[in-house]
Amino acid sequence: SAQSNISVYPNPTHSRLFVDNAGNEEMKVLLRDLSGKLLDSATQLSGAKTGFDVSKYSPGIYLLTIEKNSATQTMNIVIE
């Protein structure tokens, strides 16, 4: 799966959200609200960790999409 070497934590979160890419491929990480509006994004190299500051967003459910090769996976992120 697209997420086999990826860790996303903590979830729920209130300040920072981290995405670890332990795989050996570059990937793109997209953070959107439920309406689909893009709030933040990062291109992540293999073996890297990216942190998003989510403290500026209202509490609720957000969508984190990981694009790797041709695989796309979206998961819910809860911001408290």
Side-chain angles (χ1 to χ4, degrees):
S1 78
Q3 205 193 331
S4 56
N5 296 313
I6 299 162
S7 304
V8 178
Y9 60 92
N11 186 19
T13 184
H14 61 276
S15 58
R16 288 184 75 70
L17 179 71
F18 295 99
V19 181
D20 280 0
N21 179 8
N24 56 3
E25 295 149 337
E26 185 177 289
M27 66 185 190
K28 190 158 189 178
V29 184
L30 309 164
L31 183 66
R32 294 186 173 98
D33 64 17
L34 288 179
S35 74
K37 179 182 167 201
L38 183 63
L39 303 173
D40 207 346
S41 66
T43 298
Q44 194 170 27
L45 302 176
S46 61
K49 175 157 98 173
T50 299
F52 292 101
D53 177 6
V54 297
S55 62
K56 54 188 178 269
Y57 304 127
S58 301
I61 297 173
Y62 293 79
L63 302 174
L64 186 78
T65 300
I66 294 168
E67 297 175 351
K68 195 168 172 180
N69 294 333
S70 57
T72 300
Q73 177 146 9
T74 299
M75 66 189 77
N76 289 349
I77 301 296
V78 177
I79 297 177
E80 297 180 326

